Amino acid sequence: MAAALAAEEKLFARIAEDLLANSWSVLPACLPTALSTALQQQLHSMGTIDFSPAGIGRGTDHAVVAQVRRDEILWIEGATAAEREWLDWSGRLQSYLNRRLFLGLFSFESHFAHYGPGAFYRKHLDAFKAQSNLDAAGGDGTNRVVSLVAYFNSQWQPEDGGELVLYAADGNMEVGRVTPALGTLVVFLSEDIPHEVLPAQRDRFSIAGWYRINQTRHGRTDPPR
Ligand code: OGA
Ligand code: MN
């Protein structure tokens, strides 16, 4: 138990140091094994019937969305023991990052994502700096500050594609390429690191999550839940 806590503290410290130094962190096979296998098992047993095509911002045309991303998603609400364990773990990382980096992270949202053969997600940012200004004026930003991605694919081969590519803030220089293998974690600053998912050649499962700051003001609740 004490050893597990020490291992967790070490992992969280590594993430915080990487974020400080580079704005991103890639840690292969780092999610606790019991947690990754429980989530992988859930993904295998539930199938993708309840997943819905992912969107890009409110009210974007379906044809436009399909140019940008082809994954399907299911929000994680804590319906199973594995989901609750995931929410507990990501909550502890949130507290750690707040303690170490004073980020003021307020809430966390996450979803399972399934990329079928041929699915991709074009280069994008998870949040926009300008949006913080818009928010102050009453816009509808996402408040996302830190992005977290975890992978649940065993025996992923180079020919399976589906890598996550991370870019420097200018959006041109590739700084990292991630194989979506079981237990691999990726953490980055949502406003600073453009990234894309290359076309997958077989079913690819991940969780994408975001820590958000609280921008509730003038009686307007933001984030909404
Ligand atoms: C996202 C995203 C990456 C992945 O959902 O915003 O960038 O590898 N996902 O699933
Ligand atoms: Mn993203």
Side-chain angles (χ1 to χ4, degrees):
M1 194 62 205
L5 276 180
E8 179 169 290
E9 185 91 359
K10 212 170 143 195
L11 172 62
F12 290 174
R14 173 73 194 278
I15 292 170
E17 283 151 23
D18 284 352
L19 285 180
L20 268 181
N22 304 318
S23 303
W24 58 274
S25 182
V26 173
L27 301 164
C30 265
L31 195 64
T33 312
L35 179 54
S36 7
T37 51
L39 289 165
Q40 186 185 43
Q41 221 125 61
Q42 179 180 333
L43 280 163
H44 284 168
S45 64
M46 77 182 169
T48 54
I49 278 213
D50 294 326
F51 284 50
S52 315
I56 44 166
R58 277 170 217 169
T60 312
D61 190 85
H62 181 71
V64 175
V65 176
Q67 305 287 317
V68 177
R69 65 188 297 189
R70 299 275 174 89
D71 58 325
E72 40 179 26
I73 64 166
L74 180 67
W75 289 97
I76 296 176
E77 311 280 7
T80 66
E83 291 184 15
R84 288 189 292 276
E85 204 186 320
W86 163 256
L87 294 175
D88 287 347
W89 182 88
S90 47
R92 293 197 298 276
L93 175 57
Q94 174 177 330
S95 309
Y96 186 91
L97 293 176
N98 281 340
R99 265 198 333 269
R100 276 288 301 272
L101 305 179
F102 307 105
L103 288 174
L105 306 174
F106 175 77
S107 67
F108 180 70
E109 58 182 357
S110 61
H111 61 57
F112 292 113
H114 168 238
Y115 291 72
F120 54 79
Y121 193 164
R122 300 276 186 238
K123 193 191 292 184
H124 66 281
L125 282 168
D126 288 342
F128 296 94
K129 286 195 158 90
Q131 233 161 30
S132 321
N133 304 329
L134 275 182
D135 285 341
D140 67 344
T142 61
N143 309 342
R144 290 171 174 175
V145 175
V146 174
S147 302
L148 169 64
V149 189
Y151 296 104
F152 302 95
N153 309 290
S154 296
Q155 251 114 64
W156 197 264
Q157 303 299 323
E159 61 269 24
D160 296 330
E163 293 96 343
L164 176 73
V165 185
L166 304 175
Y167 295 91
D170 71 4
N172 293 316
M173 193 179 63
E174 182 177 325
V175 294
R177 192 170 276 234
V178 185
T179 299
L182 181 65
T184 294
L185 281 175
V186 183
V187 188
F188 55 88
L189 298 187
S190 309
E191 294 180 338
D192 291 352
I193 302 295
H195 55 283
E196 73 178 311
V197 178
L198 301 179
Q201 306 304 325
R202 68 164 168 104
D203 291 318
R204 173 195 192 270
F205 291 95
S206 59
I207 290 177
W210 300 273
Y211 295 105
R212 304 192 293 181
I213 52 171
N214 181 13
Q215 294 195 325
T216 298
R217 57 167 69 77
H218 303 309
R220 189 174 54 93
T221 306
D222 187 7
R225 65 191 169 92

